Amino acid sequence: MRGVEAKDLYAYRFLSALKLSPEGRAAVVTLSRCDEKDNDYKKDLWLLDPEGKKAPRQLTSDGRMGAAIWEDETHILFNAARTEEEKEKAKEGEPVTPYYRLDLGGGEAVKAFDLPFAGSIARVVRPGLYLCSGLVDLNAPDLHLADEEGRKKYMEARKEEADYEVIDESPFWSNGVGMTNKKRNGLYLYDETDRQARRLTPPEMEVSCLDLQGDRLYLAGRPLAATDDYRDSLYVCDLNTGEMMVLVEAKYGYSALALLAGHLLAAATDYAAYGINENPEFYDVDLMTGEMKKLTDMDVCLGNAVLTDCAYGAGRSLKKEGGRLYFLTTVRFHTELRSIGAKGDVKIHWDRDGLISDFDVAGETCLVTGQFGMKLNEVYRLAEGDLKPLTDWNKEVFKDVYVAEPVQLSLKSCGYDIDGWVLLPKDYDAAKTYPAVLDVHGGPKCAYGDGFFHEMQMWAGMGCFVFFCNPYGGEGRGNEFAFMRDKYGTTDYQNIMDFTDAVLAAYPQIDPERLCVTGGSYGGFMTNWIVTHTDRFCCGATQRSISNWVSMYGISDIGPVFTEDQCGGGLLDEEGLAKVWGHSPLKYAADCHTPLLFIHSDMDYRCPIAEGYQLYTTLVNKGVTCRMCVFHGETHELSRSGKPKHRIRRLKEITDWFIHYAKIS
């Protein structure tokens, strides 16, 4: 039996965009896989029988599958660049989105239409009429109305300006997207009959969420100005006339809207008690007055926050069906599926260990995509409180391969119950000694659970203990536990050090002289913090990290509000500046002696690469052994959705570093 290897990534099948037909008699899912030759991902659409009586059937095979939506029980629309002309337009960045129609009764997919903007279909209003989400360029807000000549002039003008970037907003870029200055996510109505698109929202408005009932559209959004405070107004729009009225003035940030039994349900927060990471609650919005009545006090997030490095593609967090709004939430270290009714009554449909990355509900049928029992993602039918597998695409991946089962190890630290886990090394022998790797999660408002992690399993397979925990600041424990304002490097750091002590006490087979530490994003920040505050680790690997909150203030795509909110101060007064600098690992670089590997991507706009360069340069000039590996063209998502060869090179860099300093044979 061998251990998990880096190249196993090429064998994994990733599932996303699970969608049931309107009546729930069929479902489609996007299956993605790494393509070693093209160093990219191939994405195709598969048809599933929710009853599990028929085997999955592949619907597309060219690997260019885009977003799909059911038109009716037998027809699917999906976007994809399939012809050479479409591929060229996509390469050039022309704002157009080709859609194809597939009849499940038989035949090949045929071209349906082109949306005259970059976007996707959000809802089918009625046959041939679609509500779409699309890009609005404030430099040419009416481009969707332009003819071929007008679009050609736009592309020529854009090429002329390609060497320049004018910035007059903050934030001005977005990780994985690029420059967003003067770009908005707006709403359009597209009529297939006359091939016309009508923009519904003002050019400057950014739309957060919406729901549609008949011809009445409810949406939350805000006209972005020079700076953004994350607070939306709530609007109602008549699709026939395009008239839009404000229902609730800007006070809340909205996560979801759902029209249920004549009520408008809104998931919202005013950020008052716990800042920009505050969990939303559900409100009943009076459709006439806009008065908002709070219905819940759950103190849970919306969506799955349990991490894995083996997911690719988008998943669903919310779905309105049968008079209820279904939603995912994270509790402690697993994902739950719940639903809420118009009067605020909450039901729990799934609350066991595991990770749900996607789901859909239609009538009495509920499907989920998730990881359960240390398996990679598969699709399951949820019925009568149990899961029935509908796919087994990853069944053979771990045949004759050692997969370590997480052993839970929890402790009390700083007054909190801290959840943690340990992976035992392959061929574990209690009479031997072993190196170990501490892996710190990102976020920090995320969580580890018992899902499969490729990198951790690889290190366990090569003979290391791997241990990881959910310190203060993480998700699944409510607002108070996650409230990190002015606390970075304090309680969270102590939790992690206490957990490390507990692991060493529970497993004396770990050689304390051969401890490695790594993490990405917040985990990168914490790796930087650890090596500047203790010498107990023989080496570290910091990934897409924060080293200096002062410089993060002006360069992260989250915006300067994030630094002020998290550090408890800004840069314009001495007290605020002292707080921001005090939470920066760079301040303590003089105390670092640990060999440190830096992994960073030059198109990471969440934790921009300057954060790595600063600490790297400071430590090298101090005489600390460092190495920095820069991934060109990659973003903050390198470890999860970066190009396959880059993901494997990242793993090799980290693993070789550990092998050298922890003396792993």
Side-chain angles (χ1 to χ4, degrees):
M1 180 176 286
R2 67 174 178 84
V4 171
E5 300 173 357
K7 66 181 181 181
D8 289 337
L9 185 69
Y10 291 116
Y12 298 164
R13 297 297 180 258
F14 309 108
L15 309 180
S16 62
L18 176 65
K19 293 182 179 178
L20 279 159
S21 62
E23 297 176 20
R25 297 202 298 264
V28 290
V29 67
T30 299
L31 185 150
S32 303
R33 57 184 174 82
C34 296
D35 186 301
E36 185 174 8
K37 180 177 177 292
D38 292 341
N39 193 26
D40 206 345
Y41 297 86
K42 300 297 185 184
K43 300 180 283 289
D44 284 301
L45 194 67
W46 285 70
L47 181 69
L48 304 179
D49 173 15
E51 297 290 337
K53 297 176 181 178
K54 299 177 183 177
R57 176 162 64 94
Q58 189 168 355
L59 297 176
T60 65
S61 59
D62 60 4
R64 299 189 183 92
M65 179 63 207
I69 189 167
W70 287 89
E71 279 191 292
D72 52 41
E73 203 64 21
T74 58
H75 292 86
I76 295 167
L77 283 170
F78 66 90
N79 72 57
R82 297 188 130 194
T83 68
E84 291 304 316
E85 181 183 4
E86 289 167 352
K87 294 174 194 175
E88 184 61 28
K89 287 183 177 181
K91 182 180 178 181
E92 293 295 319
E94 184 170 338
V96 61
T97 308
Y99 262 87
Y100 285 77
R101 179 173 283 111
L102 184 62
D103 185 344
L104 297 184
E108 295 290 322
V110 296
K111 182 67 176 288
F113 49 78
D114 288 319
L115 296 180
F117 47 82
S120 61
I121 298 173
R123 299 280 197 284
V124 177
V125 180
R126 50 183 174 267
L129 187 65
Y130 311 100
L131 178 66
C132 304
S133 173
L135 177 70
V136 180
D137 183 347
L138 295 190
N139 295 307
D142 296 318
L143 184 64
H144 62 287
L145 301 176
D147 57 17
E148 190 67 27
E149 183 63 26
R151 298 179 73 84
K152 182 179 178 181
K153 288 181 179 179
Y154 168 81
M155 292 301 295
E156 290 174 351
R158 200 171 75 169
K159 286 180 181 178
E160 283 291 320
E161 293 292 312
D163 290 341
Y164 319 101
E165 196 72 52
V166 175
I167 294 174
D168 54 11
E169 299 175 350
S170 177
F172 44 80
W173 57 15
S174 178
N175 184 67
V177 176
M179 299 303 295
T180 57
N181 197 83
K182 289 292 188 285
K183 304 291 194 307
R184 301 292 185 267
N185 176 44
L187 294 178
Y188 294 84
L189 203 59
Y190 181 76
D191 191 330
E192 184 180 358
T193 304
D194 59 13
R195 297 292 201 262
Q196 294 297 309
R198 173 162 55 97
R199 180 167 39 76
L200 297 172
T201 50
E204 68 278 1
M205 179 179 289
E206 178 78 9
V207 177
S208 301
C209 54
L210 60 89
D211 196 17
L212 177 68
Q213 186 167 288
D215 292 329
R216 301 284 282 181
L217 171 66
Y218 291 84
L219 64 107
R222 57 193 181 275
L224 297 189
T227 58
D228 187 11
D229 69 355
Y230 303 97
R231 297 178 191 274
D232 299 316
S233 293
L234 195 55
Y235 300 85
V236 57
C237 175
D238 186 319
L239 294 188
N240 295 313
T241 64
E243 182 183 4
M244 185 176 296
M245 298 182 296
V246 176
L247 185 60
V248 182
E249 294 289 352
K251 178 182 177 183
Y252 299 91
Y254 295 86
S255 305
L257 296 174
L259 287 152
L260 303 174
H263 293 256
L264 178 60
L265 198 69
T269 176
D270 61 5
Y271 309 114
Y274 296 99
I276 63 173
N277 281 334
E278 185 170 313
N279 290 325
E281 295 294 344
F282 285 101
Y283 292 79
D284 181 13
V285 185
D286 189 296
L287 296 179
M288 298 299 294
T289 66
E291 180 184 356
M292 295 182 62
K293 176 185 175 183
K294 190 176 179 182
L295 297 175
T296 62
D297 193 17
M298 294 188 297
D299 193 12
V300 297
C301 69
L302 291 184
N304 167 58
V306 182
L307 297 166
T308 176
D309 59 356
C310 289
Y312 181 87
R316 183 197 308 271
S317 295
L318 305 128
K319 171 67 181 292
K320 184 179 71 172
E321 177 65 19
R324 301 187 68 82
L325 177 65
Y326 290 77
F327 62 95
L328 296 179
T329 185
T330 302
V331 177
R332 205 80 183 205
F333 47 82
H334 68 269
T335 317
E336 291 191 359
L337 176 61
R338 300 182 180 183
S339 68
I340 184 170
K343 296 182 179 180
D345 56 304
V346 176
K347 295 180 180 179
I348 297 177
H349 304 276
W350 177 263
D351 62 354
R352 299 187 219 165
D353 289 353
L355 178 165
I356 299 176
S357 57
D358 197 5
F359 81 98
D360 200 2
V361 183
E364 299 299 315
T365 303
C366 178
L367 304 185
V368 304
T369 301
Q371 291 186 11
F372 305 97
M374 296 308 292
K375 297 177 181 178
L376 292 176
N377 267 359
E378 299 290 354
V379 180
Y380 301 82
R381 180 184 177 114
L382 174 59
E384 298 178 353
D386 208 354
L387 295 174
K388 175 186 177 181
L390 298 180
T391 66
D392 60 359
W393 281 307
N394 288 297
K395 181 180 179 181
E396 299 298 316
V397 167
F398 301 126
K399 186 177 181 180
D400 299 323
V401 175
Y402 172 71
V403 176
E405 291 286 339
V407 180
Q408 192 165 0
L409 194 161
S410 299
L411 70 152
K412 199 85 169 179
S413 172
C414 303
Y416 295 102
D417 294 320
I418 301 302
D419 301 314
W421 296 264
V422 179
L423 302 183
L424 302 186
K426 179 178 173 291
D427 301 324
Y428 172 61
D429 183 344
K432 295 182 179 179
T433 59
Y434 295 88
V437 178
L438 166 64
D439 206 335
V440 185
H441 71 60
K445 205 167 183 276
C446 295
Y448 279 141
D450 56 4
F452 183 88
F453 253 88
H454 181 60
E455 63 182 37
M456 295 189 196
Q457 291 292 341
M458 195 180 86
W459 297 327
M462 56 189 273
C464 295
F465 276 87
V466 183
F467 58 105
F468 47 101
C469 69
N470 290 333
Y472 177 85
E475 190 57 275
R477 304 283 294 275
N479 282 316
E480 193 280 329
F481 186 83
F483 192 44
M484 287 287 282
R485 183 175 295 164
D486 200 17
K487 294 179 181 178
Y488 279 77
T490 59
T491 305
D492 52 349
Y493 170 71
Q494 192 59 52
N495 291 163
I496 293 170
M497 292 301 99
D498 289 346
F499 176 65
T500 301
D501 290 338
V503 171
L504 293 179
Y507 296 96
Q509 296 81 8
I510 296 176
D511 183 348
E513 301 299 316
R514 300 163 69 196
L515 294 179
C516 312
V517 60
T518 189
S521 195
Y522 165 77
F525 159 84
M526 183 49 68
T527 299
N528 295 341
W529 191 269
I530 287 171
V531 300
T532 55
H533 287 77
T534 180
D535 293 332
R536 72 185 301 177
F537 294 88
C538 69
C539 67
T542 178
Q543 308 168 60
R544 59 190 188 280
S545 70
I546 297 172
S547 66
N548 182 359
W549 281 100
V550 177
S551 57
M552 270 286 288
Y553 180 89
I555 60 176
S556 174
D557 69 347
I558 312 176
V561 172
F562 181 71
T563 299
E564 296 170 351
D565 182 85
Q566 298 294 284
C567 293
L571 307 187
L572 300 182
D573 60 84
E574 289 188 13
E575 182 182 359
L577 182 59
K579 285 184 176 183
V580 174
W581 180 235
H583 291 295
S584 301
L586 187 63
K587 177 182 178 180
Y588 311 98
D591 295 321
C592 179
H593 311 96
T594 306
L596 192 58
L597 170 69
F598 291 79
I599 300 288
H600 227 116
S601 302
D602 64 2
M603 294 182 69
D604 183 343
Y605 301 146
R606 183 67 36 82
C607 299
I609 197 169
E611 293 300 302
Y613 286 147
Q614 291 175 82
L615 186 57
Y616 167 80
T617 302
T618 302
L619 294 181
V620 167
N621 287 338
K622 178 182 178 293
V624 177
T625 301
C626 294
R627 172 182 172 89
M628 187 162 185
C629 185
V630 176
F631 288 83
H632 294 304
E634 292 290 358
T635 72
H636 197 67
E637 305 305 311
L638 168 64
S639 66
R640 296 175 285 251
S641 59
K643 291 188 177 297
K645 289 182 180 178
H646 295 177
R647 293 175 69 176
I648 289 176
R649 174 60 183 269
R650 165 192 165 270
L651 270 176
K652 184 179 186 305
E653 286 285 335
I654 298 170
T655 303
D656 287 352
W657 193 257
F658 291 168
I659 288 173
H660 178 76
Y661 287 100
K663 300 177 176 61
I664 302 170
S665 58

